[in-house]
Amino acid sequence: MKDAAHRLAWALEVCRRAQMRPTPIREKILAFLTASRIPVSLEALMQADGIRGRCNATTAYRTLMLFQGLEVIRQVSLPNKNSYFVLNLPGESNHFLICRCCGQLVELPAAESVALLEREVAAAQGYTKLHHELQFFGICPACQKHPPGVVCAKLQPRMRRGQLKTVLEKAN
Ligand SMILES: [Zn+2]
């Protein structure tokens, strides 16, 4: 498992090779993404130190799309329908445990059995550059303490549909 500095160096190198112009905000966004071991939402990115108040959602979203185009990051689908992004470092597949109640996301250690399965699939199908996502869903220990039927207070704020639509329209 690579540390944040190695992950950032890799991401910057990919951008440099693609001749993407480094801007302070792009570097801040990359630094935030490379420091995070779990997928991050646009909302979380907008609240990060060094990014908050320095760029709008459209710029941040466009930047994420640029990084995605270079395969520096990839989009992760989570059940709450928000868009999440995670570093696309080769060989780094992400295994997560997700609370169905509060949405807490926990990174799980890489499992050799899953890596073996990936190699087998690649060999059998003739594919290269595989990655996979493995998500387990359950109820976290804190949420297990709620009485039945009580809505979790920690429920992550969701970007309203209209808001996301506006961001996407502006980005296009
Ligand atoms: Zn929970």
Side-chain angles (χ1 to χ4, degrees), residues 50-70:
I51 298 170
R52 188 175 50 244
R54 291 198 186 175
C55 79
N56 59 32
T58 308
T59 303
Y61 187 79
R62 276 193 184 141
T63 306
L64 290 172
M65 291 299 104
L66 280 173
F67 289 146
Q68 185 169 261
L70 296 179

Side-chain angles (χ1 to χ4, degrees), residues 87-148:
L87 200 69
N88 194 31
L89 194 71
E92 207 172 75
S93 282
N94 300 295
H95 302 170
F96 303 111
L97 182 59
I98 301 157
C99 177
R100 288 193 283 123
C101 183
C102 67
Q104 183 190 52
L105 230 149
V106 178
E107 187 192 23
L108 296 172
E112 184 49 39
S113 56
V114 181
L116 179 65
L117 178 63
E118 186 175 283
R119 288 197 293 273
E120 283 175 3
V121 169
Q125 305 292 332
Y127 274 49
T128 61
K129 296 187 176 179
L130 269 70
H131 73 259
H132 64 265
E133 283 161 18
L134 185 58
Q135 300 172 354
F136 292 98
F137 298 93
I139 308 290
C140 77
C143 290
Q144 288 169 35
K145 292 178 187 147
H146 296 316

